[in-house]
Coordinates of all heavy atoms in Angstrom, one line a residue:
M20 N 0.8 -1.2 0.0 CA 0.0 0.0 0.0 C 0.9 1.2 0.0 O 1.8 1.3 0.8 CB -0.9 0.0 1.2 CG -1.7 1.3 1.4 SD -2.6 1.3 2.9 CE -4.2 0.9 2.3
A21 N 0.6 2.2 -0.9 CA 1.4 3.4 -0.9 C 0.7 4.5 0.0 O -0.5 4.6 0.0 CB 1.4 3.9 -2.4
Y22 N 1.6 5.1 0.7 CA 1.1 6.2 1.6 C 1.4 7.6 1.0 O 2.4 7.8 0.4 CB 1.8 6.1 2.9 CG 1.4 4.9 3.7 CD1 2.1 3.8 3.7 CD2 0.2 4.9 4.4 CE1 1.8 2.7 4.5 CE2 -0.2 3.8 5.2 CZ 0.6 2.7 5.2 OH 0.2 1.6 5.9
S23 N 0.4 8.5 1.1 CA 0.6 9.8 0.6 C 1.5 10.6 1.6 O 1.4 10.4 2.8 CB -0.7 10.5 0.4 OG -0.5 11.9 0.2
R24 N 2.4 11.5 1.1 CA 3.2 12.3 1.9 C 2.4 13.6 2.2 O 2.9 14.5 3.0 CB 4.5 12.7 1.3 CG 5.4 11.5 1.2 CD 6.6 11.8 0.4 NE 7.4 10.6 0.2 CZ 8.6 10.4 0.8 NH1 9.1 11.3 1.6 NH2 9.2 9.3 0.6
V25 N 1.3 13.8 1.6 CA 0.5 15.0 1.9 C -0.6 14.7 2.8 O -1.4 13.8 2.6 CB 0.0 15.6 0.5 CG1 -0.9 16.8 0.8 CG2 1.1 15.8 -0.4
C26 N -0.8 15.5 3.8 CA -1.9 15.4 4.7 C -3.1 16.1 4.1 O -3.1 17.3 3.9 CB -1.5 16.1 6.1 SG -3.0 16.2 7.2
K27 N -4.1 15.3 3.7 CA -5.3 15.8 3.1 C -6.0 16.8 4.0 O -6.5 17.8 3.6 CB -6.2 14.7 2.7 CG -5.7 13.9 1.5 CD -6.8 12.9 1.2 CE -6.3 11.8 0.2 NZ -7.2 10.8 0.0
G28 N -6.0 16.4 5.3 CA -6.8 17.2 6.2 C -6.2 18.6 6.4 O -6.9 19.6 6.5
C29 N -4.9 18.7 6.3 CA -4.2 20.0 6.5 C -4.0 20.8 5.2 O -4.2 22.0 5.1 CB -2.8 19.9 7.2 SG -2.9 19.3 8.8
S30 N -3.7 20.1 4.1 CA -3.3 20.7 2.9 C -4.4 21.7 2.4 O -4.1 22.7 1.8 CB -2.9 19.7 1.8 OG -4.0 18.9 1.5
A31 N -5.6 21.3 2.6 CA -6.7 22.2 2.1 C -6.9 23.4 3.0 O -7.4 24.4 2.6 CB -8.0 21.4 2.0
D32 N -6.5 23.3 4.3 CA -6.9 24.3 5.2 C -5.7 25.3 5.6 O -6.0 26.4 5.9 CB -7.3 23.6 6.5 CG -8.6 22.8 6.3 OD1 -9.4 23.2 5.5 OD2 -8.8 21.8 7.0
I33 N -4.5 24.8 5.6 CA -3.5 25.7 6.1 C -2.9 26.7 5.1 O -2.4 27.7 5.4 CB -2.3 24.9 6.6 CG1 -1.6 24.0 5.5 CG2 -2.7 24.0 7.8 CD1 -0.3 23.4 6.0
N34 N -3.1 26.4 3.8 CA -2.6 27.3 2.8 C -3.7 28.2 2.3 O -4.3 28.1 1.3 CB -2.1 26.5 1.6 CG -0.9 25.7 2.0 OD1 0.1 26.2 2.6 ND2 -0.9 24.4 1.7
L35 N -4.0 29.2 3.2 CA -5.1 30.1 2.8 C -4.6 31.2 1.9 O -3.5 31.8 2.1 CB -5.7 30.8 4.1 CG -6.5 29.8 5.0 CD1 -6.8 30.6 6.3 CD2 -7.7 29.3 4.3
S36 N -5.4 31.6 0.9 CA -5.0 32.7 0.1 C -5.2 34.0 0.8 O -6.1 34.1 1.7 CB -5.8 32.6 -1.2 OG -7.1 32.9 -1.0
S37 N -4.6 35.1 0.3 CA -4.8 36.4 0.9 C -6.3 36.8 0.7 O -6.9 37.5 1.5 CB -3.8 37.4 0.4 OG -3.9 37.5 -1.0
E38 N -6.9 36.3 -0.4 CA -8.3 36.6 -0.7 C -9.2 36.0 0.4 O -10.1 36.7 0.8 CB -8.7 36.1 -2.1 CG -8.1 36.9 -3.3 CD -6.7 36.5 -3.6 OE1 -6.2 35.4 -3.1 OE2 -6.0 37.2 -4.3
N39 N -8.9 34.8 0.7 CA -9.7 34.2 1.8 C -9.5 34.9 3.1 O -10.5 35.1 3.8 CB -9.3 32.7 1.9 CG -9.9 31.8 0.8 OD1 -10.9 32.2 0.2 ND2 -9.3 30.7 0.6
I40 N -8.3 35.2 3.4 CA -8.1 35.9 4.7 C -8.7 37.3 4.7 O -9.4 37.7 5.7 CB -6.6 36.0 5.0 CG1 -6.0 34.7 5.2 CG2 -6.3 37.0 6.2 CD1 -4.5 34.6 5.3
N41 N -8.6 38.0 3.6 CA -9.3 39.3 3.5 C -10.8 39.2 3.6 O -11.4 40.1 4.2 CB -8.9 40.0 2.2 CG -7.4 40.5 2.2 OD1 -6.9 40.7 3.3 ND2 -6.9 40.7 1.1
R42 N -11.3 38.1 3.1 CA -12.8 37.9 3.1 C -13.2 37.7 4.6 O -14.2 38.3 5.1 CB -13.2 36.7 2.3 CG -14.7 36.6 2.0 CD -15.0 35.5 1.1 NE -14.3 35.6 -0.2 CZ -13.5 34.6 -0.7 NH1 -13.5 33.4 -0.1 NH2 -12.9 34.7 -1.8
M43 N -12.4 36.9 5.4 CA -12.7 36.7 6.8 C -12.6 38.1 7.5 O -13.4 38.4 8.4 CB -11.7 35.7 7.4 CG -12.0 34.3 6.9 SD -11.0 33.1 7.9 CE -9.5 33.2 7.0
I44 N -11.6 38.8 7.2 CA -11.4 40.1 7.9 C -12.6 41.0 7.6 O -13.1 41.7 8.5 CB -10.0 40.8 7.5 CG1 -8.9 40.0 8.0 CG2 -10.0 42.2 7.9 CD1 -7.5 40.4 7.5
D45 N -13.0 41.1 6.3 CA -14.1 42.0 5.9 C -15.4 41.6 6.7 O -16.1 42.4 7.1 CB -14.4 41.9 4.4 CG -13.3 42.7 3.6 OD1 -12.6 43.5 4.2 OD2 -13.3 42.4 2.4
E46 N -15.6 40.3 6.8 CA -16.8 39.8 7.5 C -16.8 40.3 9.0 O -17.8 40.7 9.5 CB -16.9 38.3 7.5 CG -17.4 37.8 6.1 CD -17.5 36.3 6.1 OE1 -17.6 35.6 7.1 OE2 -17.4 35.7 5.0
I47 N -15.6 40.2 9.6 CA -15.5 40.6 11.0 C -15.7 42.1 11.1 O -16.4 42.6 12.0 CB -14.2 40.1 11.6 CG1 -14.3 38.6 11.8 CG2 -13.9 40.8 12.9 CD1 -13.0 38.0 12.2
V48 N -15.0 42.8 10.3 CA -15.0 44.3 10.4 C -16.4 44.8 10.1 O -16.9 45.8 10.7 CB -14.0 44.9 9.4 CG1 -14.2 46.4 9.2 CG2 -12.6 44.6 9.9
N49 N -17.1 44.2 9.2 CA -18.5 44.6 8.8 C -19.6 44.1 9.7 O -20.7 44.4 9.5 CB -18.8 44.3 7.3 CG -17.9 45.0 6.4 OD1 -17.5 46.2 6.6 ND2 -17.4 44.4 5.3
S50 N -19.2 43.3 10.7 CA -20.2 42.7 11.6 C -20.2 43.6 12.8 O -19.2 44.3 13.2 CB -19.7 41.3 12.0 OG -20.5 40.9 13.1
E51 N -21.3 43.6 13.5 CA -21.4 44.4 14.8 C -21.2 43.4 16.0 O -21.5 43.8 17.1 CB -22.7 45.1 14.8 CG -22.9 46.2 13.8 CD -24.2 46.9 13.8 OE1 -25.0 46.6 14.7 OE2 -24.4 47.8 13.0
N52 N -20.8 42.2 15.7 CA -20.7 41.2 16.8 C -19.4 41.1 17.4 O -19.2 40.3 18.3 CB -21.1 39.8 16.2 CG -22.5 39.8 15.7 OD1 -23.4 40.4 16.3 ND2 -22.7 39.1 14.6
F53 N -18.4 42.0 17.0 CA -17.1 41.8 17.5 C -16.5 43.2 18.0 O -16.8 44.2 17.3 CB -16.1 41.3 16.5 CG -16.5 39.9 15.9 CD1 -17.2 39.8 14.7 CD2 -16.2 38.8 16.6 CE1 -17.6 38.6 14.2 CE2 -16.6 37.5 16.1 CZ -17.3 37.4 14.9
K54 N -15.8 43.2 19.1 CA -15.0 44.4 19.5 C -13.7 44.3 18.9 O -13.0 43.3 19.0 CB -14.9 44.4 21.0 CG -16.3 44.7 21.7 CD -16.1 44.9 23.2 CE -17.4 45.1 23.8 NZ -17.4 45.0 25.3
L55 N -13.3 45.4 18.2 CA -12.0 45.4 17.4 C -11.0 46.2 18.1 O -11.3 47.2 18.8 CB -12.3 45.9 16.0 CG -13.4 45.2 15.2 CD1 -13.5 45.8 13.8 CD2 -13.1 43.7 15.1
V56 N -9.7 45.9 17.9 CA -8.6 46.7 18.3 C -8.5 47.9 17.4 O -9.0 47.9 16.3 CB -7.3 45.9 18.4 CG1 -7.4 44.8 19.4 CG2 -6.9 45.4 17.1
S57 N -7.7 48.9 17.8 CA -7.4 50.1 16.9 C -6.5 49.6 15.8 O -5.9 48.6 15.9 CB -6.8 51.2 17.7 OG -5.5 50.8 18.1
E58 N -6.5 50.4 14.8 CA -5.5 50.1 13.6 C -4.1 50.0 14.1 O -3.3 49.2 13.7 CB -5.7 51.1 12.5 CG -6.9 51.0 11.7 CD -6.9 51.9 10.5 OE1 -5.9 52.2 9.9 OE2 -8.0 52.3 10.1
E59 N -3.7 50.9 15.0 CA -2.4 50.9 15.6 C -2.1 49.7 16.3 O -1.0 49.0 16.2 CB -2.2 52.2 16.5 CG -0.8 52.3 17.1 CD -0.8 53.5 18.0 OE1 -1.5 53.5 19.0 OE2 0.0 54.4 17.7
A60 N -3.0 49.2 17.2 CA -2.8 48.0 17.9 C -2.8 46.8 17.0 O -2.0 45.9 17.2 CB -3.9 47.8 18.9
Y61 N -3.6 46.8 16.0 CA -3.6 45.7 15.0 C -2.3 45.6 14.3 O -1.7 44.5 14.2 CB -4.7 46.0 14.0 CG -4.9 44.9 12.9 CD1 -5.3 43.6 13.3 CD2 -4.7 45.1 11.6 CE1 -5.4 42.6 12.4 CE2 -4.8 44.1 10.6 CZ -5.2 42.9 11.0 OH -5.4 41.9 10.1
E62 N -1.7 46.7 13.9 CA -0.4 46.7 13.2 C 0.7 46.2 14.1 O 1.6 45.5 13.7 CB -0.1 48.0 12.6 CG -0.8 48.3 11.3 CD -0.7 47.2 10.3 OE1 0.4 46.7 10.0 OE2 -1.7 46.9 9.7
F63 N 0.6 46.6 15.4 CA 1.6 46.2 16.4 C 1.5 44.7 16.6 O 2.5 44.0 16.6 CB 1.4 46.9 17.7 CG 2.3 46.4 18.8 CD1 3.6 46.9 18.9 CD2 1.9 45.4 19.7 CE1 4.5 46.5 19.9 CE2 2.8 45.0 20.7 CZ 4.1 45.5 20.7
R64 N 0.3 44.2 16.7 CA 0.2 42.7 16.9 C 0.7 42.0 15.7 O 1.4 41.0 15.9 CB -1.3 42.4 17.1 CG -1.9 42.8 18.5 CD -3.3 42.5 18.6 NE -3.8 42.7 19.9 CZ -5.0 42.2 20.4 NH1 -5.8 41.6 19.6 NH2 -5.3 42.4 21.7
L65 N 0.4 42.4 14.5 CA 0.8 41.7 13.3 C 2.4 41.7 13.2 O 3.0 40.8 12.8 CB 0.2 42.3 12.1 CG -1.3 42.0 11.9 CD1 -1.8 42.5 10.5 CD2 -1.6 40.5 12.0
Q66 N 2.9 42.9 13.6 CA 4.4 43.0 13.5 C 5.0 42.0 14.5 O 6.0 41.3 14.2 CB 4.8 44.4 13.8 CG 6.3 44.7 13.6 CD 6.7 44.4 12.1 OE1 6.0 44.8 11.2 NE2 7.8 43.8 11.9
Q67 N 4.4 41.9 15.7 CA 4.9 40.9 16.7 C 4.8 39.5 16.1 O 5.8 38.7 16.3 CB 4.1 41.0 18.0 CG 4.3 42.3 18.7 CD 5.8 42.5 19.2 OE1 6.5 43.2 18.5 NE2 6.2 41.8 20.2
C68 N 3.8 39.2 15.4 CA 3.6 37.9 14.8 C 4.6 37.6 13.7 O 5.2 36.5 13.6 CB 2.2 37.7 14.3 SG 0.9 37.6 15.6
R69 N 4.8 38.6 12.9 CA 5.8 38.5 11.8 C 7.2 38.2 12.3 O 7.9 37.5 11.7 CB 5.8 39.7 10.9 CG 4.6 39.9 10.0 CD 4.8 41.2 9.1 NE 3.5 41.7 8.8 CZ 3.0 42.8 9.2 NH1 3.6 43.6 10.0 NH2 1.8 43.2 8.8
N70 N 7.5 38.6 13.5 CA 8.8 38.4 14.1 C 8.9 37.3 15.0 O 9.8 37.1 15.8 CB 9.3 39.7 14.8 CG 9.5 40.8 13.8 OD1 9.9 40.6 12.7 ND2 9.2 42.1 14.3
C71 N 7.8 36.5 15.1 CA 7.7 35.4 16.1 C 8.0 34.1 15.4 O 7.5 33.8 14.3 CB 6.3 35.4 16.6 SG 6.0 34.1 17.9
I72 N 8.8 33.3 16.1 CA 9.2 32.0 15.5 C 8.0 31.0 15.6 O 8.0 29.9 15.0 CB 10.4 31.3 16.2 CG1 10.1 31.1 17.7 CG2 11.6 32.1 16.0 CD1 11.2 30.2 18.4
C73 N 6.9 31.4 16.2 CA 5.8 30.5 16.4 C 4.8 30.7 15.2 O 3.7 30.2 15.2 CB 5.1 30.8 17.7 SG 6.2 30.5 19.1
L74 N 5.1 31.6 14.3 CA 4.2 31.8 13.1 C 4.6 30.9 12.0 O 5.7 30.8 11.5 CB 4.3 33.3 12.6 CG 3.4 33.7 11.5 CD1 1.9 33.7 12.0 CD2 3.8 35.0 10.9
D75 N 3.6 30.1 11.6 CA 3.8 29.1 10.5 C 3.1 29.6 9.3 O 2.0 30.2 9.3 CB 3.2 27.8 10.9 CG 4.1 27.0 11.8 OD1 5.3 27.3 11.9 OD2 3.5 26.1 12.5
Y76 N 3.7 29.4 8.1 CA 3.1 29.7 6.8 C 2.8 31.2 6.6 O 2.0 31.6 5.7 CB 1.8 28.9 6.6 CG 1.9 27.5 7.0 CD1 1.2 27.0 8.2 CD2 2.7 26.6 6.4 CE1 1.3 25.7 8.6 CE2 2.8 25.3 6.8 CZ 2.2 24.9 7.9 OH 2.3 23.6 8.4
G77 N 3.3 32.0 7.5 CA 3.0 33.5 7.4 C 1.6 33.8 7.9 O 1.2 35.0 7.8
T78 N 0.8 32.8 8.4 CA -0.6 33.1 8.7 C -1.0 32.5 10.0 O -1.9 33.0 10.7 CB -1.5 32.5 7.6 OG1 -1.3 31.1 7.5 CG2 -1.3 33.2 6.3
T79 N -0.4 31.4 10.5 CA -1.0 30.6 11.5 C -0.1 30.5 12.7 O 1.1 30.1 12.7 CB -1.2 29.1 11.0 OG1 -1.9 29.2 9.7 CG2 -1.9 28.3 11.9
C80 N -0.7 30.8 13.9 CA 0.0 30.7 15.2 C 0.0 29.2 15.6 O -1.0 28.6 15.6 CB -0.7 31.5 16.2 SG 0.0 31.3 17.9
K81 N 1.2 28.7 15.8 CA 1.3 27.3 16.1 C 0.8 27.0 17.5 O 0.6 25.8 17.8 CB 2.8 26.8 16.0 CG 3.8 27.3 16.9 CD 5.1 26.6 16.8 CE 5.7 26.7 15.4 NZ 7.1 26.3 15.3
H82 N 0.5 28.0 18.4 CA 0.0 27.7 19.7 C -1.5 27.6 19.7 O -2.0 26.7 20.4 CB 0.5 28.7 20.7 CG 2.0 28.7 20.9 ND1 2.6 27.6 21.5 CD2 2.9 29.6 20.5 CE1 3.9 27.9 21.5 NE2 4.1 29.0 21.0
C83 N -2.2 28.4 19.0 CA -3.6 28.3 19.0 C -4.2 27.9 17.7 O -5.4 27.5 17.6 CB -4.2 29.7 19.4 SG -3.8 31.0 18.2
G84 N -3.4 27.8 16.6 CA -4.0 27.4 15.3 C -4.8 28.5 14.6 O -5.3 28.2 13.6
C85 N -4.8 29.7 15.2 CA -5.6 30.8 14.6 C -4.8 31.4 13.5 O -3.6 31.5 13.4 CB -5.9 31.9 15.6 SG -7.0 31.3 16.9
I86 N -5.6 32.0 12.5 CA -5.0 32.9 11.5 C -4.8 34.2 12.2 O -5.7 34.9 12.6 CB -6.0 33.1 10.3 CG1 -6.4 31.7 9.8 CG2 -5.4 34.0 9.3 CD1 -5.2 30.9 9.2
V87 N -3.5 34.6 12.3 CA -3.2 35.8 13.1 C -3.8 37.1 12.6 O -4.1 38.0 13.3 CB -1.7 35.9 13.4 CG1 -1.1 34.7 14.2 CG2 -0.9 36.1 12.1
Q88 N -3.9 37.2 11.2 CA -4.5 38.4 10.7 C -5.9 38.6 11.1 O -6.4 39.7 11.1 CB -4.4 38.3 9.1 CG -3.0 38.4 8.5 CD -2.3 37.0 8.5 OE1 -2.7 36.0 9.1 NE2 -1.2 37.0 7.8
V89 N -6.5 37.5 11.5 CA -7.9 37.5 12.0 C -7.9 37.7 13.5 O -8.6 38.6 14.1 CB -8.7 36.3 11.6 CG1 -10.1 36.3 12.2 CG2 -8.8 36.2 10.0
R90 N -7.2 36.8 14.2 CA -7.2 36.9 15.7 C -6.7 38.3 16.2 O -7.3 38.8 17.2 CB -6.2 35.8 16.2 CG -6.2 35.7 17.7 CD -5.3 34.6 18.2 NE -5.2 34.5 19.6 CZ -5.9 33.6 20.3 NH1 -6.8 32.8 19.8 NH2 -5.8 33.6 21.7
A91 N -5.7 38.8 15.5 CA -5.2 40.1 16.0 C -6.2 41.3 15.9 O -6.1 42.3 16.6 CB -4.0 40.5 15.1
L92 N -7.3 41.1 15.1 CA -8.3 42.1 15.1 C -9.2 42.2 16.3 O -9.7 43.2 16.7 CB -9.3 41.8 13.9 CG -9.0 42.1 12.5 CD1 -10.1 41.5 11.6 CD2 -9.0 43.6 12.3
L93 N -9.2 41.1 17.0 CA -10.3 40.9 18.1 C -9.7 41.3 19.4 O -8.7 40.8 19.9 CB -10.7 39.4 18.1 CG -11.2 38.9 16.8 CD1 -11.5 37.4 16.8 CD2 -12.5 39.7 16.4
K94 N -10.4 42.3 20.0 CA -10.0 42.9 21.2 C -9.9 41.9 22.4 O -9.0 42.1 23.2 CB -11.0 44.0 21.6 CG -10.5 45.1 22.5 CD -11.4 46.3 22.6 CE -10.7 47.4 23.3 NZ -11.4 48.7 23.2
D95 N -10.8 41.0 22.4 CA -10.8 40.0 23.5 C -9.9 38.8 23.3 O -9.9 37.9 24.2 CB -12.2 39.6 23.8 CG -12.9 38.8 22.7 OD1 -12.3 38.8 21.6 OD2 -13.9 38.1 23.0
K96 N -9.1 38.8 22.3 CA -8.2 37.7 22.1 C -6.8 38.2 22.4 O -6.4 39.4 22.2 CB -8.2 37.3 20.6 CG -9.5 36.6 20.2 CD -9.7 35.3 20.9 CE -11.0 34.7 20.4 NZ -11.4 33.5 21.2
G97 N -6.0 37.3 23.0 CA -4.6 37.6 23.3 C -3.6 36.7 22.6 O -4.0 35.8 21.8
C98 N -2.4 37.0 22.7 CA -1.3 36.2 22.2 C -1.1 35.0 23.1 O -0.9 35.2 24.3 CB -0.1 37.0 22.1 SG 1.4 36.0 21.9
P99 N -1.2 33.8 22.6 CA -1.0 32.6 23.5 C 0.4 32.2 23.7 O 0.6 31.0 24.1 CB -1.8 31.6 22.7 CG -1.6 31.9 21.3 CD -1.5 33.4 21.2
H100 N 1.4 33.0 23.4 CA 2.8 32.6 23.5 C 3.0 32.2 25.0 O 2.6 32.8 25.9 CB 3.7 33.8 23.2 CG 5.1 33.4 23.1 ND1 6.0 33.3 24.1 CD2 5.8 33.1 21.9 CE1 7.2 32.9 23.6 NE2 7.1 32.8 22.3
P101 N 3.6 31.0 25.1 CA 3.9 30.5 26.5 C 4.7 31.4 27.3 O 5.7 31.9 26.9 CB 4.6 29.1 26.2 CG 4.3 28.8 24.8 CD 4.1 30.1 24.1
G102 N 4.3 31.6 28.5 CA 5.1 32.4 29.4 C 4.6 33.9 29.5 O 4.3 34.4 30.5
A103 N 4.5 34.5 28.3 CA 4.1 35.9 28.2 C 3.6 36.2 26.9 O 4.1 35.8 25.9 CB 5.3 36.8 28.6
S104 N 2.6 37.0 26.9 CA 2.0 37.5 25.6 C 3.0 38.4 24.9 O 3.7 39.2 25.5 CB 0.7 38.3 25.9 OG 0.3 39.0 24.7
R105 N 3.1 38.3 23.6 CA 3.9 39.2 22.8 C 3.1 40.4 22.3 O 3.7 41.3 21.6 CB 4.5 38.4 21.6 CG 5.5 37.4 22.0 CD 6.0 36.6 20.9 NE 6.5 37.4 19.8 CZ 7.8 37.6 19.6 NH1 8.7 37.2 20.4 NH2 8.2 38.4 18.5
W106 N 1.8 40.4 22.6 CA 1.0 41.6 22.3 C 0.7 42.4 23.5 O 0.5 41.9 24.6 CB -0.4 41.1 21.8 CG -0.4 40.3 20.5 CD1 0.7 40.1 19.7 CD2 -1.5 39.6 19.9 NE1 0.2 39.3 18.6 CE2 -1.1 39.0 18.8 CE3 -2.8 39.5 20.3 CZ2 -1.9 38.3 18.0 CZ3 -3.7 38.8 19.6 CH2 -3.2 38.1 18.4
K107 N 0.7 43.7 23.3 CA 0.1 44.5 24.4 C -1.4 44.3 24.3 O -1.9 44.0 23.2 CB 0.4 46.0 24.1 CG 1.8 46.4 24.3 CD 1.9 47.9 24.2 CE 2.0 48.3 22.7 NZ 2.3 49.8 22.6
S108 N -2.1 44.3 25.4 CA -3.6 44.1 25.3 C -4.3 45.4 25.1 O -4.1 46.2 24.4 CB -4.1 43.4 26.5 OG -3.7 44.1 27.6
Ligands
SF4_14 S1 2.6 33.3 19.8 FE1 1.7 35.3 19.7 S2 3.1 36.6 18.5 FE2 3.6 34.4 18.1 S3 2.4 33.9 16.3 FE3 1.2 33.3 18.0 S4 -0.1 35.1 18.4 FE4 1.6 35.8 17.1

């Protein structure tokens, strides 16, 4: 029996296009169901993620599995880095 080297479960989900991410961001921004951080805080959070060794594929936090471009928008979400958050809250 031949085994595939590609994880079907992950391959479809982890490689999100910027269009898909932007669509998720637009849905959140245009919804009244979420409290959002300021643009300044959002950029700070993303910069921290870009410089973090825990960021996979440029999109995914390896601790929570979240798409950081989405998670960083949400005021009630924090950075799950072990020991200490890399985001100011
Ligand atoms: S641990 Fe924090 S800073 Fe690092 S990728 Fe995850 S959310 Fe971003």
Side-chain angles (χ1 to χ4, degrees):
M20 173 185 259
Y22 292 97
S23 170
R24 290 174 186 251
V25 178
C26 172
K27 289 183 190 174
C29 293
S30 61
D32 296 328
I33 62 171
N34 296 309
L35 290 175
S36 67
S37 56
E38 289 80 17
N39 282 338
I40 293 173
N41 287 338
R42 195 173 306 126
M43 288 188 277
I44 291 171
D45 285 346
E46 284 180 23
I47 290 172
V48 168
N49 294 324
S50 166
E51 294 181 1
N52 297 325
F53 302 97
K54 290 183 181 171
L55 307 180
V56 297
S57 67
E58 284 187 34
E59 182 181 60
Y61 182 64
E62 285 307 317
F63 176 81
R64 287 179 169 194
L65 289 185
Q66 189 60 43
Q67 292 297 102
C68 292
R69 285 185 206 107
N70 293 328
C71 181
I72 61 169
C73 305
L74 183 67
D75 285 338
Y76 318 109
T78 57
T79 308
C80 174
K81 67 173 58 171
H82 294 292
C83 61
C85 291
I86 304 301
V87 297
Q88 290 85 349
V89 173
R90 185 181 178 94
L92 277 172
L93 303 172
K94 200 168 196 170
D95 64 343
K96 295 294 183 185
C98 161
H100 193 276
S104 171
R105 292 173 55 95
W106 297 351
K107 291 188 274 187
S108 51

